[in-house]
């Protein structure tokens, strides 16, 4: 059962959102906003694959035990954070390639999307934080009729917005 914020229970972070640097925070923020909109408890952490490798691994190893279901990880450049996270957990990992200064995020995208067979990272678009959250919600909705209804209503609103924008 997924504990939504609307329920009077202790909020376990169902989705953990990790980022390699505080400089990624603004890009990652839409993920937090969408999870909030769907009342899904989440936690945001700055944890770097190369600057805080031990802390990253400890955090991820403990995540499943405390009830976290999905990990979103955003990183830029040689973006190995989602890969190292996926290496130490069987929780689904969704990677967000962050747009980098030198290569416009192509480096981040390829670093995240090109995981060798065996350790998957579901990769969204460069700076695609909103879709990372929506994909996480779709996975959670597999066991939550309440979330499925919310997703359907979200899609209906998207549809209405497009139709209203026609002149
Ligand atoms: C990565 O390096 C981070 O994910 C960030 O996107 C990039 C640059 O980090 P800072 O130099 O801004 O800390 O680890």
């Amino acid at each position: 059962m997924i504990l939504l914020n609307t329920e009077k229970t202790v909020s376990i972070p169902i989705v953990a959102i990790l980022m390699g640097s505080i400089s990624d925070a603004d890009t990652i923020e839409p993920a937090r906003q969408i999870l909030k909109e769907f009342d899904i408890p989440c936690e945001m952490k700055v944890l770097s694959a190369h600057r805080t490798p031990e802390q990253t691994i400890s955090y991820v190893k403990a995540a499943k035990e405390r009830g976290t279901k999905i990990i979103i990880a955003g990183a830029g450049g040689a973006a190995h954070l989602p890969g190292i996270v996926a290496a130490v957990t069987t929780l689904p990992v969704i990677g967000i390639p962050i747009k980098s200064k030198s290569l416009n995020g192509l480096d981040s995208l390829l670093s995240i999307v090109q995981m060798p067979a065996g350790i998957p990272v579901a990769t969204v678009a460069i700076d695609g934080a909103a879709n990372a959250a929506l994909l996480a919600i779709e996975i959670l909705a597999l066991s939550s009729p309440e979330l499925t209804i919310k997703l359907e209503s979200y899609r209906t609103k998207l549809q209405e917005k497009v139709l209203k924008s026609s002149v």
Side-chain angles (χ1 to χ4, degrees), residues 19-24 48 50-51 74-78 98-99 101:
M19 65 194 91
S21 167
I22 192 64
S23 66
D24 299 327
S48 165
H50 49 276
R51 288 177 277 210
I98 304 288
K99 191 170 181 176
K101 286 188 196 115

Side-chain angles (χ1 to χ4, degrees), residues 28-48:
I28 298 284
E29 178 60 19
R32 197 180 66 83
Q33 287 297 332
I34 287 184
L35 291 166
K36 193 175 169 203
E37 196 179 323
F38 280 81
D39 294 313
I40 296 171
C42 72
E43 172 170 89
M44 284 180 90
K45 289 263 177 205
V46 177
L47 282 169
S48 165

